[in-house]
C-alpha cells in the first residue's frame, strides 16, 4: 500500500509538471501572437505616418503646378488689372500652401521615433529625407522671389516682353519640383526599409520563440511517456478495487478527483439495468451533472457527506439514490479518490414530490397556489442587487363568475377555472408565472419585461384572454372579463403584503369602473378605495 501511495504521489507530480508545461506553452504562444500583433500595429502606424507625409508632398507638388500656371498666365497674357491681381494672389496662395504642406511633413518626420533600437539604416534615410525637404524650402524661396519680380515688372509700362523667358521659369520650377520628387522617392525607400527591418526583427524573435516552444514540447513528450509508464505499473494494483462491493447489495462507485469512474459495482444492474463504464465521467450518468459533481468535490478535505443524486436507468427514467460520498485521502491529506456508496430512494422521493405538489399547487387547476406565490416572490425580492429586476404583481378577478356558478352550477365553474388556468399559463409563459390564490382570483408575477410599453402589452393580452366566450358544461356559452390591479416592486411596496395590498386596491378600482380594465396602483387615486375596502 505504501508503494501504491508513492506511485500515486509521483503521478500527481508529473501531472502537475505537465500542466505547468502546457500552461507555459499557452502563455508563450499567446505572447508570440501578442508580440506579432504589436509589431504589426507599430509597423502599420509608421507606414501610415509615412504615407500621410507622401500625400502632403504630392499635394505640395500640385500647388506648385497651380502657382506656375498662375505665373505664366499673369506674365504672358493680355489681362486686365483685376485679373492680373487675382492671378498674382493665386500665385502667392499656392506657394504658401505648398510651403505649409512641406513644413507639416517636415514636422511629422521630426516627430518620428523608431520604436526599436538598432534600426540604423531607416534612421539614416530619415535624415536624408529631412535634408531634402530643407533644400526644397531654399529652392522654393528663390523661385517664388523670381516670380514676384516678374509679376512686378509686368505691371510696369517699361515692360519688355522679350525679357520674359518661359523656359527659365520652367527650369526654376523643375529645380523646386526635383527636390519634391527626391523627397517622395526617399519616403518610399524609407517605408520599404522600415518594413524590411521590422520583418527581420520579427523573424529573429520568432526563431527564439520557436526554439523555446520546441524545448517545451520535448518536455511534455518526456513527461507523457513517464506518465504512461507509471500507469502501466499501477494497472495490477488497481485490479484490487474490483473486489470492493462485489458481494454487497449497495451501489459502490470509485472515482478519481476529476470524476472519472475507476470502479462501479455490479449491483448497479439491479436498479439501473447496466453498470456504469469504467473510465467514463460520472457526470455522464448524473442528472444536472455540473451541480451534482460540484457537491461531490465539495467534500475535499472534509468528512463524508450524504448527497441525493439521480442516475438514468437503461429504460431512460431517473432513479433516485441516497449517496454517501467519502474522500479517500492520499499524501498530505489531499483526496486521491472519491468513494460513493448509494441506496435507492426513488419511492421516497416520489412521495416527497407528491407532498410538495399538494403543498404548492392548486388541486383543481394544477397551477401554483398562494404558498407557491409567496415563495416565488421571496426568491425574486431576495435576488442580489446586480441581478434584481423590476417586478409587476397583477391581481386578476373574474367578472360575473358568481353568475356562472348560479346559472350553470359549480361543476361548470370548476371547468371554466381549469380552462382559464391553462390558457393563463400559456399567456404569461416566458414573461412570468401565474398563480391561483383563491376562488376566481388569480395573481400573475411579471418580471421579464424591459419597458412600460411591454408591460402594457402583457396586461392587454391578459384582458383579451378573459374577454371572450367560454364553452363549458358540454357546450354552454359563458362570457366573462377581468378586473386587473397592478403594483410594481419596489415603487409600490418593498414586501409581499404591501404589493398585494396595492394591487388589490388597483383591482378594486378596475372592478368599480365596471370591470374589463387593468389599472396600475396610484397612492393618490386609490386612497379613497382603501377607505371603502376597510
Amino acid at each position: 500500500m505504501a508503494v501504491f501511495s508513492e506511485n500515486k504521489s509521483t503521478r500527481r507530480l508529473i501531472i502537475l509538471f505537465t500542466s505547468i508545461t502546457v500552461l507555459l506553452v499557452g502563455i508563450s504562444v499567446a505572447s508570440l501572437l501578442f508580440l506579432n500583433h504589436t509589431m504589426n500595429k507599430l509597423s502599420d502606424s509608421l507606414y501610415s505616418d509615412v504615407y500621410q507625409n507622401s500625400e502632403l508632398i504630392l499635394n505640395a507638388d500640385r500647388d506648385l503646378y497651380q502657382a506656375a500656371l498662375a505665373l505664366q498666365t499673369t506674365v504672358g497674357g493680355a489681362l486686365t488689372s483685376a485679373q492680373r491681381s487675382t492671378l498674382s494672389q493665386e500665385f502667392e496662395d499656392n506657394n504658401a500652401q505648398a510651403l505649409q504642406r512641406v513644413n507639416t511633413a517636415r514636422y511629422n518626420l521630426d516627430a518620428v521615433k523608431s520604436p526599436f533600437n538598432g534600426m540604423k539604416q531607416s534612421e539614416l534615410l530619415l535624415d536624408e529625407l529631412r535634408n531634402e525637404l530643407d533644400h526644397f524650402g531654399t529652392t522654393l524661396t528663390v523661385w517664388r522671389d523670381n516670380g514676384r519680380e516678374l509679376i512686378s515688372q509686368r505691371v510696369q509700362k517699361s515692360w519688355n516682353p522679350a525679357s520674359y523667358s518661359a523656359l527659365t521659369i520652367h527650369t526654376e520650377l523643375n529645380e523646386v519640383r526635383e527636390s519634391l520628387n527626391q523627397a517622395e522617392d526617399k519616403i518610399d525607400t524609407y517605408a520599404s526599409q522600415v518594413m524590411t527591418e521590422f520583418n527581420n526583427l520579427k523573424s529573429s524573435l520568432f526563431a527564439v520563440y520557436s526554439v523555446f516552444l520546441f524545448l517545451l514540447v520535448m518536455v511534455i513528450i518526456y513527461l507523457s511517456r513517464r506518465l504512461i509508464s507509471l500507469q502501466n505499473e499501477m494497472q495490477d494494483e488497481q485490479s484490487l478495487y474490483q473486489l470492493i462491493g462485489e458481494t454487497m447489495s449497495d451501489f459502490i462507485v470509485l472515482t478519481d478527483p476529476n470524476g472519472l469512474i475507476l470502479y462501479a459495482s455490479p449491483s448497479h444492474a439491479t436498479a439501473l439495468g447496466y453498470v456504469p463504464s469504467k473510465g467514463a465521467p460520472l457526470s455522464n450518468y448524473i442528472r444536472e451533472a455540473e451541480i451534482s459533481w460540484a457537491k461531490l468535490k465539495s467534500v475535499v478535505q472534509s468528512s463524508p457527506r450524504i448527497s441525493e443524486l439521480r442516475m438514468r436507468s437503461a429504460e431512460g427514467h431517473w432513479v433516485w439514490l441516497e449517496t454517501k460520498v467519502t474522500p479517500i485521502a492520499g499524501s498530505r491529506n489531499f483526496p486521491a479518490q472519491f468513494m460513493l456508496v448509494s441506496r435507492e430512494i426513488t419511492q421516497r422521493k416520489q412521495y416527497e414530490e407528491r407532498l410538495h405538489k399538494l403543498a404548492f399547487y392548486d388541486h383543481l387547476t394544477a397551477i401554483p397556489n398562494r404558498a407557491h406565490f409567496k415563495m416565488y416572490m421571496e426568491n425574486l425580492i431576495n435576488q442580489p442587487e446586480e441581478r434584481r429586476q423590476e417586478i409587476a404583481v397583477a391581481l386578476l378577478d373574474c367578472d360575473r363568475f358568481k353568475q356562472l356558478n348560479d346559472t350553470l352550477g359549480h361543476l361548470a365553474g370548476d371547468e371554466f377555472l381549469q380552462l382559464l388556468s391553462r390558457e393563463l399559463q400559456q399567456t404569461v409563459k416566458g414573461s412570468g408565472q401565474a398563480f391561483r390564490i383563491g376562488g376566481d382570483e388569480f395573481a400573475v408575477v411579471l418580471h421579464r419585461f424591459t419597458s412600460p410599453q411591454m408591460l402594457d402589452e402583457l396586461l392587454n393580452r391578459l384582458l383579451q384572454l378573459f374577454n371572450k366566450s367560454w364553452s363549458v358544461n358540454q357546450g354552454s356559452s359563458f362570457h366573462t372579463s377581468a378586473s386587473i390591479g397592478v403594483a410594481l416592486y419596489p415603487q409600490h411596496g418593498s414586501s409581499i403584503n404591501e404589493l398585494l395590498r396595492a394591487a388589490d386596491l388597483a383591482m378594486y378600482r378596475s372592478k368599480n369602473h365596471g370591470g374589463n380594465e387593468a389599472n396600475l396602483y396610484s397612492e393618490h387615486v386609490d386612497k379613497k378605495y382603501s377607505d371603502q375596502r376597510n
Side-chain angles (χ1 to χ4, degrees), residues 358-416:
L358 289 173
F360 293 101
Y361 287 84
D362 181 61
H363 71 281
L364 175 64
T365 62
I367 69 172
N369 59 14
R370 180 182 287 271
H372 198 157
F373 166 78
K374 181 180 179 181
M375 182 175 62
Y376 192 87
M377 284 294 298
E378 287 176 348
N379 182 58
L380 289 177
I381 292 175
N382 293 326
Q383 287 288 327
E385 187 68 29
E386 64 275 7
R387 296 176 55 189
R388 191 170 298 169
Q389 302 169 298
E390 189 174 27
I391 305 170
V393 177
L395 290 183
L396 302 84
D397 188 79
C398 291
D399 301 327
R400 296 180 297 279
F401 179 72
K402 185 176 183 301
Q403 178 183 353
L404 171 63
N405 280 333
D406 293 341
T407 57
L408 299 179
H410 290 283
L411 292 179
D414 291 346
E415 182 183 355
F416 164 72

Side-chain angles (χ1 to χ4, degrees), residues 142-385:
V142 173
W143 184 76
R144 182 185 60 193
D145 291 344
N146 290 339
R148 289 174 177 172
E149 181 64 24
L150 280 173
I151 292 173
S152 177
Q153 293 177 5
R154 181 65 181 84
V155 298
Q156 297 177 6
K157 294 182 179 181
S158 59
W159 164 256
N160 181 12
S163 64
Y164 168 66
S165 174
L167 180 60
T168 301
I169 296 298
H170 183 69
T171 301
E172 292 177 352
L173 177 62
N174 284 342
E175 292 180 3
V176 181
R177 296 181 69 184
E178 181 64 23
S179 296
L180 289 181
N181 291 335
Q182 290 292 332
E184 186 176 355
D185 292 341
K186 290 185 181 300
I187 284 180
D188 292 338
T189 304
Y190 171 71
S192 299
Q193 183 63 30
V194 167
M195 296 300 295
T196 300
E197 292 180 352
F198 261 93
N199 289 331
N200 291 338
L201 183 58
K202 284 172 58 177
S203 298
S204 300
L205 291 174
F206 288 176
V208 173
Y209 267 96
S210 298
V211 172
F212 178 69
L213 290 176
F214 174 76
L215 294 176
L216 287 179
V217 170
M218 294 301 294
V219 171
I220 292 176
I221 293 175
Y222 168 76
L223 292 177
S224 299
R225 295 183 63 181
R226 178 61 178 159
L227 179 60
I228 293 173
S229 176
L230 285 176
Q231 288 177 335
N232 291 333
E233 293 175 3
M234 294 168 57
Q235 283 181 353
D236 293 337
E237 296 179 1
Q238 288 177 344
S239 63
L240 296 176
Y241 287 108
Q242 296 177 1
L243 300 177
I244 301 176
E246 292 289 346
T247 59
M248 298 178 62
S249 59
D250 287 343
F251 315 126
I252 299 176
V253 173
L254 191 67
T255 76
D256 67 6
N258 298 316
L260 297 180
I261 298 175
L262 302 176
Y263 170 80
S265 65
S267 54
H268 284 85
T270 303
L272 303 179
Y274 65 91
V275 178
S277 301
K278 180 179 179 180
L282 181 63
S283 57
N284 288 355
Y285 302 97
I286 301 176
R287 186 174 184 180
E288 301 169 348
E290 69 282 357
I291 300 175
S292 299
W293 184 239
K295 290 180 180 179
L296 298 184
K297 298 200 72 174
S298 68
V299 302
V300 171
Q301 294 181 338
S302 67
S303 58
R305 184 172 304 177
I306 302 296
S307 299
E308 292 183 351
L309 307 176
R310 279 181 286 183
M311 299 184 71
R312 186 183 293 276
S313 69
E315 290 77 16
H317 63 270
W318 293 102
V319 177
W320 277 99
L321 302 175
E322 184 179 71
T323 303
K324 181 180 181 180
V325 185
T326 305
I328 302 176
S331 61
R332 298 183 182 178
N333 296 324
F334 190 85
Q337 297 165 343
F338 292 99
M339 179 173 288
L340 290 74
V341 181
S342 308
R343 62 186 180 88
E344 185 180 359
I345 57 169
T346 302
Q347 290 184 352
R348 189 187 83 186
K349 294 300 294 185
Q350 291 174 346
Y351 178 71
E352 291 175 354
E353 185 177 351
R354 287 196 295 270
L355 290 179
H356 175 81
K357 193 169 184 179
L358 289 173
F360 293 101
Y361 287 84
D362 181 61
H363 71 281
L364 175 64
T365 62
I367 69 172
N369 59 14
R370 180 182 287 271
H372 198 157
F373 166 78
K374 181 180 179 181
M375 182 175 62
Y376 192 87
M377 284 294 298
E378 287 176 348
N379 182 58
L380 289 177
I381 292 175
N382 293 326
Q383 287 288 327
E385 187 68 29

Side-chain angles (χ1 to χ4, degrees), residues 5 38 40 45 57 72 95-96 106 129 156 158 163 187 209 214 249 251 302 335 348 404 425 466 487 497 511 516:
S5 299
T38 302
N40 287 338
S45 176
I57 290 175
Q72 185 176 0
N95 279 313
R106 180 68 168 81
L129 180 56
Q156 297 177 6
S158 59
S163 64
I187 284 180
Y209 267 96
F214 174 76
S249 59
F251 315 126
S302 67
R348 189 187 83 186
L404 171 63
Q425 284 282 60
F466 277 82
N497 288 336
K511 188 171 285 291
N516 194 25

